[in-house]
Amino acid sequence: MNLSFKPMPEENINELIEKKFYSSKKFAEEIEKTVLENKGMKYIDAIIFFCEKNNVDVESVPKLVSKPLKEKLKAEAMELNLLKRTSRAKLPL
């Protein structure tokens, strides 16, 4: 019996990883989509909803949060008085 190993092309490996595991870009896109589709839903709620829906451990989320998403979460937390407001001015959106 000849069991030879053929390595997969790198692009196929990357595609498999993207499908199996979330990248921070894909995670942020999913959260943004959830917030847009559910008027009034906060980013933190969207993250929890995503985790429950996809059986993702909430404690693994910090590794997936991109810088823009982190800034939105921070602004939302300040708005909800969960974080102290910074002295930086906030542009009206």
Side-chain angles (χ1 to χ4, degrees):
M1 178 167 24
N2 184 7
L3 296 174
S4 59
F5 174 74
K6 288 185 178 180
M8 285 182 112
E10 193 167 322
E11 60 271 0
N12 289 354
I13 293 171
N14 291 337
E15 284 178 34
L16 284 173
I17 290 171
E18 281 284 318
K19 287 179 185 175
K20 183 78 174 159
F21 304 104
Y22 276 87
S23 65
S24 61
K25 180 183 175 187
K26 189 173 178 183
F27 179 76
E29 288 171 357
E30 288 290 326
I31 299 305
E32 291 287 349
K33 181 178 157 190
T34 302
V35 169
L36 286 173
E37 289 175 351
N38 299 282
K39 297 289 180 203
M41 183 179 267
K42 303 286 186 192
Y43 282 93
I44 191 71
D45 295 328
I47 290 171
I48 293 168
F49 175 77
F50 174 87
C51 290
E52 288 174 354
K53 183 176 139 188
N54 294 289
N55 294 323
V56 174
D57 184 16
V58 175
E59 292 188 16
S60 66
V61 168
K63 293 179 264 180
L64 297 171
V65 177
S66 64
K67 190 169 182 166
L69 185 56
K70 192 178 289 185
E71 290 300 317
K72 290 176 183 177
L73 283 165
K74 186 177 177 180
E76 185 177 272
M78 283 189 274
E79 201 174 284
L80 297 169
N81 293 321
L82 299 172
L83 277 178
K84 283 186 175 181
R85 295 191 185 275
T86 61
S87 59
R88 289 188 273 173
K90 180 183 169 193
L91 294 174
L93 298 175

